[in-house]
Amino acid sequence: IEYCETETLAHFFFQNACRVQEKTALEWYDFEKDCVTGVTYEQLFSDMICLGTALYRKGLRQKTIALVGERSYEWVLLFLTLLCSNTIVLPLDPKLPADELKNRISFADARVCFAEDGLLPDLVESRIPGVTLYRLSEVMDLLKEGRRYFLSAEVEREWIEDLICEKQRVMMIYTSGTGGKMKAAVIRQENFTLERFVWNGLKMQESKCLITLPLYHIAGIGDLRGTLLVGTTAYLSAGLRHLLKEYAYVRPKVGFMVPAQALLLYEVLSGKEKMEARALLGNNFSAIRATGAPLPQNIRDMFLAYDISVTSDYGMTETTGPVSVSMEKDGRIFSKEGSVGHILDCLDVRIADPDENGRGEVLISGQCVFDGYYKDPEETDAILIHGWLHTGDIGYIDEDRFLFIVGRKKNVIILPSGENVIPEELEKLLYRIPEVEEC
């Protein structure tokens, strides 16, 4: 595809539209039709071309566009189209109060906002200056409109021929970063395509992925783009009430979840026989990749009793996803005990000023590192120094390039003797006490 550099999402989506064109790209449950429905890779890319054509005709090229909603085909189609356009997309949590949404949309200088129908009245009432509001349900009307334009005698080629380069800014996403205050991290095209190495390493090409994490969070976005980059099928979960039915239908090999989701699954499976528990999850489920925080050892042990391994990945919004990940070996997903996975071969990770045990701040360099914080040069300069991302995490790297995180730099307690105490290490010990639920 001549007009796309290699490290752009458009390049890989076009590739898959040709390579696995008849394979299902996305599936979801259609409550109106009372059945599972979906689109192939060929149809998905065709829909993206037509929707992009309509968006450009409305003058939305080179605009920042906010997207407020939950998992749905309309949301995903618009999100993917914007990622492959000369635009910047701003995904936002639909559960935020209208005033907070207004503040975030305004700070990011968004000029357009697509929001779920139920949220639109509150956003209209908030009166966001200079922002045009659309209902998310209008996406399908825009798709039809774009298809008419694209198939007309005067063929519209502006979107399909618009040059997208790998250094181009493509998304802003809010994060607390390493300092506490909310900031908008700016993501480039090349940041987004790195996820394919994770999925290829896990040999996920033949397994469907059940998307349960929110798509306004970098981890949920990672699951979606990883699935589509390697050409397998993403199933958009309809929520917690439907989760067990979805597991039985999708039969995923790996579950990507935050600790709260893993604990909920633990409660569902607790006390059940192994065969019954595995049947509930589709009889194919072999691993949980925990993100956000590690799971307590007793929860890990319970899952192991059901032949489900639990591994932790490491990454942050500023790395656009994982830096170190679980690995596939002999049909199993594994990671060294206590580690957060094996560092991706294409990234440079080092430990700054290591102590006698090799522990120090984790620094990262490479294709994954974000562009900086929007309108915040001070915070950007504090975290990006001479091309290295200063994570604020304390850790060490073993001889096999497995990364171990032991705590946060800002949490370290320095005793009068000069000894450094890392409170997270004490927390791990406290969690071993059965009576301690949280510390």
Side-chain angles (χ1 to χ4, degrees):
I1 186 168
E2 295 85 359
Y3 58 89
C4 287
E5 293 190 25
T6 304
E7 292 300 326
T8 64
L9 285 166
H11 173 89
F12 290 102
F13 286 155
F14 176 81
Q15 243 182 13
N16 285 337
C18 299
R19 183 175 61 87
V20 288
Q21 55 185 345
E22 295 303 319
K23 189 167 185 176
T24 301
L26 292 166
E27 283 187 325
W28 63 94
Y29 190 81
D30 188 322
F31 286 92
E32 289 185 7
K33 297 179 181 177
D34 193 26
C35 66
V36 174
T37 189
V39 293
T40 64
Y41 274 91
E42 184 179 39
Q43 184 181 343
L44 173 62
F45 197 68
S46 172
D47 285 355
M48 288 166 62
I49 291 170
C50 295
L51 180 58
T53 299
L55 295 176
Y56 272 30
R57 282 184 64 89
K58 287 193 174 292
L60 302 191
R61 184 177 180 274
Q62 295 184 331
K63 297 284 195 300
T64 296
I65 300 172
L67 186 48
V68 191
E70 298 283 3
R71 290 176 297 266
S72 66
Y73 183 58
E74 291 83 358
W75 193 101
V76 172
L77 174 60
L78 178 57
F79 181 64
L80 295 177
T81 303
L82 293 173
L83 290 179
C84 294
S85 304
N86 201 333
T87 56
I88 296 175
V89 63
L90 177 72
L92 292 169
D93 182 354
K95 298 182 182 65
L96 289 172
D99 284 346
E100 181 61 24
L101 287 172
K102 173 185 176 181
N103 291 338
R104 296 189 181 204
I105 291 167
S106 298
F107 177 80
D109 294 320
R111 291 293 170 259
V112 177
C113 175
F114 283 83
E116 286 186 351
D117 293 17
L119 296 172
L120 212 60
D122 290 339
L123 288 173
V124 169
E125 193 173 323
S126 295
R127 296 176 184 170
I128 312 173
V131 176
T132 303
L133 295 170
Y134 289 90
R135 289 179 288 112
L136 199 54
S137 57
E138 289 181 71
V139 166
M140 302 316 285
D141 294 331
L142 288 169
L143 173 61
K144 292 174 185 175
E145 189 178 311
R147 184 165 284 118
R148 285 197 303 272
Y149 292 141
F150 198 76
L151 297 177
S152 66
E154 298 178 4
V155 177
E156 292 285 340
R157 293 287 177 182
E158 187 182 6
W159 187 85
I160 195 70
E161 294 178 354
D162 197 13
L163 177 66
I164 306 296
C165 69
E166 60 190 24
K167 300 296 183 184
Q168 191 165 319
R169 292 181 167 191
V170 65
M171 184 176 80
M172 279 192 280
I173 186 165
Y174 280 94
T175 173
S176 57
T178 57
K181 72 175 183 178
M182 295 301 295
K183 298 178 285 289
V186 180
I187 310 298
R188 300 184 308 278
Q189 279 282 344
E190 63 178 349
N191 299 146
F192 259 101
T193 60
L194 199 64
E195 192 82 22
R196 71 187 189 279
F197 294 114
V198 178
W199 282 70
N200 284 328
L202 292 172
K203 298 183 180 177
M204 294 289 291
Q205 293 88 336
E206 298 305 317
S207 174
K208 290 182 181 181
C209 179
L210 179 58
I211 308 289
T212 60
L213 292 169
L215 293 177
Y216 50 82
H217 188 279
I218 200 68
I221 293 169
D223 290 352
L224 178 66
R225 73 178 190 269
T227 309
L228 298 176
L229 282 170
V230 299
T232 188
T233 304
Y235 187 98
L236 306 175
S237 173
L240 290 175
R241 285 187 302 163
H242 309 276
L243 209 51
L244 286 180
K245 288 182 181 178
E246 290 171 344
Y247 269 111
Y249 172 78
V250 177
R251 302 184 70 247
K253 175 183 176 183
V254 178
F256 306 88
M257 54 189 77
V258 293
Q261 291 175 317
L263 289 171
L264 183 63
L265 190 60
Y266 166 83
E267 291 176 6
V268 171
L269 300 183
S270 184
K272 291 181 170 57
E273 295 293 327
K274 183 191 288 189
M275 288 183 63
E276 181 187 1
R278 292 196 60 77
L280 283 173
L281 300 179
N283 285 317
N284 191 40
F285 197 71
S286 63
I288 290 172
R289 279 177 59 199
T291 184
L295 280 171
Q297 189 58 47
N298 64 318
I299 305 297
R300 291 169 177 255
D301 292 341
M302 190 286 291
F303 280 116
L304 278 175
Y306 295 123
D307 293 331
I308 299 170
S309 59
V310 179
T311 64
S312 296
D313 295 345
Y314 175 75
M316 50 203 294
T317 303
E318 290 82 353
T319 62
T320 330
V323 170
S324 58
V325 297
S326 325
M327 301 176 71
E328 198 276 347
K329 186 177 182 180
D330 300 327
R332 300 287 296 177
I333 307 296
F334 83 100
S335 187
K336 283 192 180 182
E337 186 175 344
S339 83
V340 290
H342 186 269
I343 297 167
L344 292 177
D345 293 336
C346 53
L347 299 179
D348 292 323
V349 179
R350 66 180 175 90
I351 304 300
D353 303 320
D355 62 16
E356 64 277 8
N357 297 312
R359 304 186 306 186
E361 184 179 9
V362 178
L363 308 186
I364 302 164
S365 178
Q367 185 181 328
C368 72
V369 176
F370 79 138
D371 229 28
Y373 297 117
Y374 188 62
K375 295 195 298 193
D376 201 338
E378 186 177 332
E379 288 286 351
T380 298
D381 291 343
I383 193 173
L384 288 177
I385 303 172
H386 302 305
W388 288 88
L389 175 68
H390 288 239
T391 66
D393 290 316
I394 303 295
Y396 64 94
I397 302 168
D398 75 2
E399 65 280 3
D400 298 317
R401 273 179 58 91
F402 279 83
L403 179 62
F404 295 76
I405 300 296
V406 297
R408 289 286 291 163
K409 185 178 179 180
K410 66 179 181 180
N411 293 345
V412 173
I413 301 164
I414 303 176
L415 301 180
S417 63
E419 181 185 357
N420 288 351
V421 176
I422 298 175
E424 287 87 351
E425 294 184 326
L426 300 179
E427 289 174 0
K428 288 179 183 178
L429 297 175
L430 288 168
Y431 270 124
R432 293 180 184 177
I433 303 170
E435 290 78 14
V436 174
E437 183 175 297
E438 187 174 358
C439 58

